[in-house]
Amino acid sequence: VSDVAEAAGDPDHVQAVPEIQGAGGWDAMPADELVHWLDAADVFVSPTRFEGLPLTFAEAQTVGLPIVAYDIPGCNDVVTTGKNGFLCENRDTDAMASSVVTLMDDSALRKRFSEDATLASQRFGWDVIHEQTMQFYNEILAERQGDR
């Protein structure tokens, strides 16, 4: 994050969430503290280079934060460049910084991305995930019953 802040040319206005020690990531942070950090943010920046399906992105989108991240599996399942955030080439901190500056300098773009982020977060609601999981299980059961 410090590389991105430095590249953006305004490190005094970029603040990182305190590092969370141990396993559990965001889950290890008390909910009220997580809400504090998400509410204080204008943009959610994730310089992770390896990711599964990032729950933190869904949480950020739920509160309407545009996301800037690397274009890697997992991240690109959640973020659509030009719609709810920006995806940058892996390890390209200059592109990441430029994307952050673009969002910070353009409040109309940030607002549009924020609205799209909130809509995109609905794909990860518990009811949606439950329905998709049950559909998957039912398809497997139907295939197995057909094999008998």
Side-chain angles (χ1 to χ4, degrees):
V1 172
S2 61
D3 290 345
V4 173
E6 201 64 41
D10 199 3
D12 295 335
H13 289 92
V14 176
Q15 187 170 4
V17 174
E19 185 175 343
I20 301 166
Q21 298 296 323
W26 288 95
D27 294 340
M29 181 181 283
D32 60 334
E33 190 175 343
L34 172 62
V35 169
H36 162 76
W37 285 105
L38 291 174
D39 282 344
D42 295 307
V43 177
F44 186 87
V45 181
S46 178
T48 185
R49 295 184 314 231
F50 309 99
E51 193 60 70
L53 184 62
L55 178 60
T56 55
F57 285 24
E59 291 168 335
Q61 286 184 325
T62 298
V63 297
L65 291 177
I67 297 173
V68 177
Y70 290 129
D71 188 0
I72 58 172
C75 297
N76 56 22
D77 290 323
V78 179
V79 179
T80 303
T81 291
K83 186 141 178 77
N84 58 359
F86 290 115
L87 292 170
C88 307
E89 186 176 330
N90 199 0
R91 298 179 187 237
D92 188 346
T93 55
D94 289 337
M96 188 170 268
S98 176
S99 296
V100 171
V101 169
T102 296
L103 283 168
M104 296 311 297
D105 287 348
D106 189 339
S107 61
L109 179 66
R110 196 169 62 246
K111 183 178 187 305
R112 183 170 56 82
F113 280 16
S114 175
E115 291 166 355
D116 287 337
T118 303
L119 288 173
S121 74
Q122 294 172 5
R123 295 184 344 190
F124 300 101
W126 287 116
D127 54 336
V128 174
I129 298 300
H130 174 261
E131 181 62 34
Q132 290 173 348
T133 302
M134 293 307 297
Q135 182 179 358
F136 176 72
Y137 288 155
N138 287 331
E139 288 172 9
I140 290 174
L141 286 172
E143 285 177 18
R144 289 202 172 193
Q145 288 173 351
D147 289 343
R148 290 183 187 184

